[in-house]
Amino acid sequence: MALSYKFDSVKYPLWEVLERHRQKSPLSGHVPGHKNGDVFPEAMRSFYEATGPWDVTEISGLDDLHAPEGAIAEAERALSELYGTQASFFVVGGSSAGNCAALYTLFSPGDQVIVQRDCHRSILDALVLSGVEPIFVAPAFEKETGFSLGLLPETLKQAFHEWPGAAGVIITSPSYYGAVADLKRIVATAHGNGKKVIVDEAHGAHLAPLTSFPCSAVEAGADIVVQSAHKTLPALTMGAYVHVMSASVKSETLRESLRLMQSSSPSYLIMASLDGARGYLHEQQMIELTLFKFIKQVRHRLNAIEGTGIIVPKEASYDPLKVVLSPPDQTTGWAFQQALEEQGLYVELSDPQLVLLTLPLKIDKDKADRIISAVTKAVKNTEQSEMDKLIPSAPVFPKMTSLAYTFAQMRQSSIVEVPLSQADEAVAAETIVPYPPGIPVIMQGERCTMEQLKFVRSWKQAGGHLQGGTALDADCILIYREEEKG
Ligand SMILES: Cc1ncc(COP(=O)(O)O)c(C=O)c1O
């Protein structure tokens, strides 16, 4: 068949050397201790036998992620060719490590950097590690749907006007919910002002090579783009890519930053899957129109289910793999999620107003039928809730703020626990994050507003999951003792 013949032409450089090695039935005189999957507890035989033969280490012929010259270098070159980048890198610590390495590479301690406020918490970790001074800028929220549309180019322009010394900007796009920012204009605005751009494209690894999908930060020419290959491509969890689009970013510097942020024993299972995900995407490119049409049809069928419907942003493009479903009347997204799970469909996340599914990047009619059947049944079985008590209103982010303390001052300051009701205007000593989506409501070092505090309380009371907020059970929050600011 013509298609499979073309698929056969796709190369998998890292996978090929790993598989050749396995076929030699090698004796392991090296780490890891499971010895190619031969040493294991009996109860987990199937696990070790299925994964062990490829979970090897930097032995002859298998290359080294931190100084690649052979199969890994070739696999990264294939990645760079597919995406059309200056250079591309495999990452085994997720976009979390990729974001840290990107910031560490592009900015220096003390640099002011504009940061989209609804960023993932890994960006906050990256800010701390790289010692930059963040200026948080609120995204635009669409009135009708409540979706974050990301940073608007005109807001960014204003931010550069107010903070002319800023070295660059960190954008998140697509959002967790699939809304894609106007990246071409954002990059043009930043570069026009002589500023650098990092895009956390954790949810958009599939966008650049598939032209029917919305524009990617790679196509828009951001300086560094970080992608969780594991989120939308067939890569193992923690597998990510970092792409460089700018000649001013030195590959050796980024490689060194990635080494600093990751294990010295990177997983070959993850790296092989990154090679696989790139090859898979290449294959999907060849059948892209059919694939795109199929995904649209699945969305159409989901949207037609009585009692629910797909919510899409009206003022931004969106990723069709992300399906935001409204819960049936008088129910919450949380209750809808529970009903979906009873039908065997596990979703990405839910909140009071919605449930989020990520569709597979695959033409699979049987799976699509099962998803549609599960949603149809779940709509009928979702339990009603007393809405007024449950639904916290979304937090409102200040338009532009810098942190009250530098990260160094935070490390030197002492911390006290106070009731939420007394923390208005206090400087938070902890970051509190509804997870997922992992976007901090309150950030360490930020002055709390009553709106943020109320949101956290009602989210907790409604049973939403939070990271941070260690004292919330006692209705308290950790803050810095003001007079001791270092
Ligand atoms: C926008 C965004 N950036 C970064 C990350 C971290 O990605 P990873 O899980 O690959 O470390 C996430 C995780 O959900 C995310 O949503």
Side-chain angles (χ1 to χ4, degrees):
M1 248 167 60
L3 280 181
S4 58
Y5 171 72
K6 278 197 201 160
F7 284 0
D8 289 349
S9 70
V10 177
K11 294 269 180 284
Y12 295 86
L14 180 56
W15 163 246
E16 282 159 22
V17 293
L18 284 172
E19 179 57 2
R20 234 178 285 137
H21 180 73
R22 184 193 68 86
Q23 283 174 7
K24 287 191 247 172
S25 301
L27 263 181
S28 167
H30 55 79
V31 298
H34 61 63
K35 305 290 177 184
N36 301 325
D38 202 33
V39 179
F40 49 76
E42 195 52 42
M44 290 181 68
R45 171 183 284 274
S46 56
F47 169 79
Y48 282 92
E49 287 186 344
T51 56
W54 298 283
D55 185 38
V56 285
T57 189
E58 290 85 359
I59 52 174
S60 304
L62 298 190
D63 212 0
D64 173 1
L65 178 68
H66 298 306
E69 293 177 329
I72 295 176
E74 214 186 309
E76 287 186 335
R77 264 197 306 278
L79 179 67
S80 169
E81 266 168 40
L82 181 73
Y83 282 78
T85 64
Q86 297 263 343
S88 294
F89 301 81
F90 283 0
V91 182
V92 295
S95 285
S96 303
N99 283 332
C100 289
L103 262 81
Y104 193 80
T105 301
L106 219 53
F107 302 119
S108 304
D111 277 355
Q112 284 181 338
V113 180
I114 309 286
V115 185
Q116 182 178 323
R117 174 61 178 79
D118 57 338
C119 60
H120 185 255
R121 72 166 304 152
S122 60
I123 294 286
L124 303 185
D125 299 338
L127 295 170
V128 176
L129 283 173
S130 50
V132 303
E133 191 190 310
I135 295 136
F136 291 102
V137 179
F141 285 96
E142 190 173 77
K143 277 216 177 69
E144 197 177 330
T145 58
F147 281 127
S148 163
L149 304 173
L151 216 53
L152 299 183
E154 31 296 4
T155 314
L156 182 60
K157 203 167 155 192
Q158 194 189 339
F160 285 140
H161 181 73
E162 290 192 26
W163 306 88
V169 58
I170 303 159
I171 301 288
T172 304
S173 174
S175 71
Y176 212 126
Y177 307 92
V180 179
D182 188 351
L183 293 166
K184 282 196 174 146
R185 283 182 61 217
I186 284 171
V187 172
T189 304
H191 286 172
N193 282 274
K195 317 292 185 190
K196 294 166 185 161
V197 189
I198 292 175
V199 180
D200 176 357
E201 197 168 64
H203 295 272
H206 56 300
L207 300 181
L210 300 176
T211 51
S212 316
F213 286 70
C215 174
S216 142
V218 170
E219 294 162 279
D223 296 271
I224 300 183
V225 181
V226 179
Q227 301 171 336
S228 296
H230 69 92
K231 289 196 193 294
T232 52
L233 303 179
L236 294 186
T237 298
M238 292 174 83
Y241 300 140
V242 171
H243 303 289
V244 173
M245 303 302 298
S246 154
S248 67
V249 180
K250 287 204 184 78
S251 284
E252 314 82 74
T253 315
L254 185 47
R255 175 85 65 200
E256 180 57 15
S257 305
L258 283 166
R259 192 190 60 74
L260 276 175
M261 308 296 165
Q262 301 187 94
S263 168
S264 59
S265 309
S267 158
Y268 277 77
L269 289 178
I270 295 178
M271 290 191 283
S273 79
L274 287 171
D275 198 23
R278 185 267 317 148
Y280 180 80
L281 201 44
H282 197 164
E283 292 178 2
Q284 299 310 298
Q285 234 182 9
M286 298 178 202
I287 54 162
E288 180 176 345
L289 288 181
T290 322
L291 171 71
F292 193 70
K293 205 165 135 200
F294 180 79
I295 292 166
K296 286 273 184 187
Q297 276 165 359
V298 175
R299 291 180 67 91
H300 184 75
R301 290 175 65 197
L302 283 166
N303 197 36
I305 296 171
E306 200 153 334
T308 181
I310 300 184
I311 315 167
V312 294
K314 308 278 181 299
E315 296 162 40
S317 26
Y318 60 88
D319 173 11
L321 288 188
K322 291 292 174 98
V323 175
V324 179
L325 287 175
S326 55
D329 280 350
Q330 296 305 308
T331 69
T332 62
W334 291 325
F336 193 24
Q337 172 177 3
Q338 206 179 333
L340 287 163
E341 286 179 3
E342 278 158 19
Q343 297 302 322
L345 176 58
Y346 290 80
V347 302
E348 183 72 37
L349 64 79
S350 66
D351 71 18
Q353 285 88 9
L354 59 84
V355 160
L356 174 66
L357 312 179
T358 305
L359 294 178
L361 190 69
K362 184 182 180 187
I363 301 172
D364 185 337
K365 177 138 182 354
D366 180 50
K367 283 274 158 47
D369 288 347
R370 284 181 58 194
I371 291 174
I372 285 150
S373 157
V375 174
T376 309
K377 287 184 190 149
V379 165
K380 297 190 184 117
N381 297 337
T382 307
E383 278 185 24
Q384 298 210 333
S385 344
E386 281 182 68
M387 308 293 287
D388 295 350
K389 277 191 208 150
L390 276 172
I391 296 182
S393 57
V396 180
F397 300 128
K399 202 164 169 223
M400 271 181 224
T401 44
S402 51
L403 293 180
Y405 291 6
T406 64
F407 295 120
Q409 284 170 330
M410 288 182 218
R411 279 193 285 273
Q412 288 158 8
S413 302
S414 55
I415 293 171
V416 283
E417 191 177 303
V418 297
L420 287 169
S421 56
Q422 291 169 27
D424 189 20
E425 293 281 303
V427 179
E430 57 182 341
T431 297
I432 303 181
V433 192
Y435 217 106
I439 297 165
V441 173
I442 292 178
M443 259 186 300
Q444 187 176 2
E446 181 176 61
R447 261 184 213 289
C448 305
T449 64
M450 215 51 211
E451 267 164 326
Q452 288 170 312
L453 296 163
K454 277 186 189 155
F455 178 89
V456 166
R457 177 191 281 135
S458 48
W459 187 269
K460 175 95 183 162
Q461 281 171 351
H465 178 63
L466 289 165
Q467 278 187 359
T470 42
L472 280 178
D473 279 341
D475 223 18
C476 290
I477 183 171
L478 305 182
I479 62 163
Y480 291 113
R481 209 192 285 277
E482 290 272 344
E483 65 278 8
E484 291 191 12
K485 186 169 167 179

